[in-house]
Structures are given as structure tokens and as C-alpha cells.
Amino acid sequence: MKGLFISFEGNEGSGKSSVLSWIQKKFASEGIEIYLTREPGGNKIAEQIRNVILDKSNTNMDSKTEALLYAAARRQHLVENINPLLEDNKIVISDRYIDSSLAYQGFARGIGIQNVYDINMFATNNELPDLTILFDIDPDIGLKRIAANSNREVNRLDNEALDFHRKVHMGYMLLVKEFKSRIKVIDASKNFEEVCDEVYKILKKFIAENYNQ
Ligand code: TYD
């Protein structure tokens, strides 16, 4: 497959979604079109799965059920949204992908990173992003940012205790060691302009070196 597949990852409140829309506009102004999508969701079936996963009243959801639902939503998103764009040689950035499952379900929920990796390899036919940008933020600061942003909807995973979000962060740090060449870490505690600039530079270089229009 051609095109470029990039994912953005990070704890809650890392600011990745706001940076993403800035990045899309910036590249558009240079004539480079970036297709944005997000997980869990992106199409009717995946959005329906998303509603089940993030429903605040589903307090009794089993951890493996949760992992399998994310993997199912991921597959539908991949075959229906991402892969057709890649086949058309487009640049696609997904707000979250497999590393979210590895950090949240695999590590923080304690199912095991390898187990969650395995079900995701089945779900995606081993399709990993070409590049992943990890927004590194202290989970305490991330959660405070969310609390300060009254427009953002609070979901079932946001409601987890701080300890859970700290584990998510630890999980991400393990993944950085495991996938050294794929995952680039940026310091998301800096101000918005600095973070945007840093992400822009990484993407600019990566696109120049890896993308043939
Ligand atoms: P969302 O509202 O999209 O949050 P964010 O803006 O932080 O991306 O909700 C997605 C939630 O689902 C978020 O708490 C992270 C979690 N998640 C997982 O636990 N596993 C996954 O595989 C994915 C994709 C998301």
C-alpha cells in the first residue's frame, strides 16, 4: 500500500486533537492535504461500537470485552476509512490507534501488552502506522487541562482514577522502548505554539523523506 499512515497518541488532556487540526490547516496552506480521522469511531459501525465502549452507564464492562470492542472498531475503521485512502496514496493521521489499546487495555487494565497486541494483529492484518507521535504529558496535568476545558465531553475512561491514567502513561513509555523507530515522543507540557511547531517539523521531515506524490 502507498500513502502514509500516521497516528497521534497520548494521555487524556495531552492536547493532541487541537494540535491535529492546526497541523491539517498548516499543511493545507502549503498544498499538502492531510486526512484526519479518529478512534474509536470514524464510520457508522465504529461509532456505534464507540458509544457502547464509552457509555458512562456501562460500569460493569469486562476488560477483555473492552479490548475486543476497541479492536473491532479499529478493524472497521481501517477497512472502511483508512485503507481506501492509503490505496489512493493519501496521507492519513488517526487520532489514536493500536498503541492506545496497548497502553490502556494491555498495560493499565492489566490484560497484558502482548495479548492485546496479538488480538490487534489479527484485527488489522498486522497493519501498524508508518509513524506515531506520542504526546507526552504528566497525567495529573492532562486531567487538570480536561477539567478546565468545560466544552469537552467526559467519558467512561476519563472517569477512571488518576492511578489508572498514570498506568496508561507508564504503558506508553514501555511502548516507546519497544517501538523505538516508529514512535517519536514530544513534550506536550510546552505551550500550544511550541508543541505545534515541534510536531510540524517532525511531520514535514517525515513526509519529505517518505512520501511520493
Ligand atoms: P475520546 O473522547 O476520543 O478521548 P481523547 O480525546 O482522549 O482521544 O475517547 C477515547 C477514549 O478511549 C480515551 O479515554 C482513550 C480510550 N481508548 C482506549 O482505552 N483504547 C483504545 O484502543 C482507544 C482507541 C481509545
Side-chain angles (χ1 to χ4, degrees):
M1 219 164 330
K2 298 175 294 179
L4 276 187
F5 178 21
I6 298 163
S7 63
F8 277 27
E9 293 281 354
N11 271 81
E12 255 79 5
S14 66
K16 61 183 165 45
S17 309
S18 322
V19 174
L20 251 180
S21 48
W22 184 91
I23 285 289
Q24 185 184 39
K25 287 192 200 97
K26 175 80 177 160
F27 278 100
S29 74
E30 298 174 7
I32 298 173
E33 190 166 12
I34 290 186
Y35 292 77
L36 296 190
T37 183
R38 68 153 188 188
E39 275 203 8
N43 59 63
K44 184 164 173 261
I45 293 170
E47 291 291 339
Q48 286 173 343
I49 300 173
R50 176 192 174 89
N51 291 339
V52 175
I53 305 173
L54 298 179
D55 186 336
K56 272 181 280 191
S57 65
N58 282 340
T59 49
N60 60 339
M61 188 179 293
D62 173 79
S63 300
K64 285 190 181 173
T65 305
E66 185 179 280
L68 289 163
L69 286 173
Y70 276 116
R74 177 159 304 124
R75 166 134 198 104
Q76 193 63 33
H77 183 226
L78 194 66
V79 296
E80 206 176 316
N81 303 85
I82 297 178
N83 283 348
L85 288 168
L86 295 179
E87 274 154 20
D88 202 19
N89 198 31
K90 305 292 192 223
I91 301 171
V92 185
I93 303 184
S94 182
D95 189 347
R96 298 192 180 280
Y97 189 65
I98 185 169
D99 300 300
S100 286
S101 283
L102 301 178
Y104 283 76
Q105 283 68 50
F107 192 75
R109 293 269 190 240
I111 304 175
I113 289 180
Q114 188 63 48
N115 289 333
V116 175
Y117 186 78
D118 291 344
I119 60 166
N120 276 277
M121 287 300 103
F122 169 73
T124 65
N125 297 346
N126 309 318
E127 202 172 322
L128 286 168
D130 300 304
L131 171 72
T132 296
I133 297 188
L134 175 62
F135 286 64
D136 183 14
I137 187 89
D138 178 334
D140 300 42
I141 299 175
L143 292 182
K144 279 187 193 127
R145 279 187 184 170
I146 292 181
N149 180 358
S150 54
N151 294 331
R152 190 183 180 287
E153 193 192 331
V154 174
N155 66 49
R156 192 170 59 83
L157 280 96
D158 292 335
N159 281 338
E160 287 289 341
L162 178 57
D163 189 45
F164 175 79
H165 295 285
R166 288 193 179 132
K167 282 194 198 146
V168 169
H169 186 259
M170 283 164 68
Y172 273 129
M173 292 302 130
L174 290 173
L175 298 177
V176 172
K177 285 195 196 127
E178 181 75 24
F179 300 104
K180 277 195 194 73
S181 57
R182 175 172 63 85
I183 305 181
K184 300 267 173 287
V185 185
I186 59 125
D187 179 358
S189 67
K190 292 183 182 166
N191 70 41
F192 182 72
E193 287 73 26
E194 283 176 300
V195 175
C196 286
D197 190 51
E198 199 173 325
V199 174
Y200 171 73
K201 282 182 184 143
I202 293 172
L203 289 178
K204 185 87 184 156
K205 184 165 184 283
F206 191 80
I207 291 170
E209 288 172 357
N210 296 282
Y211 185 64
N212 296 314
Q213 225 158 0

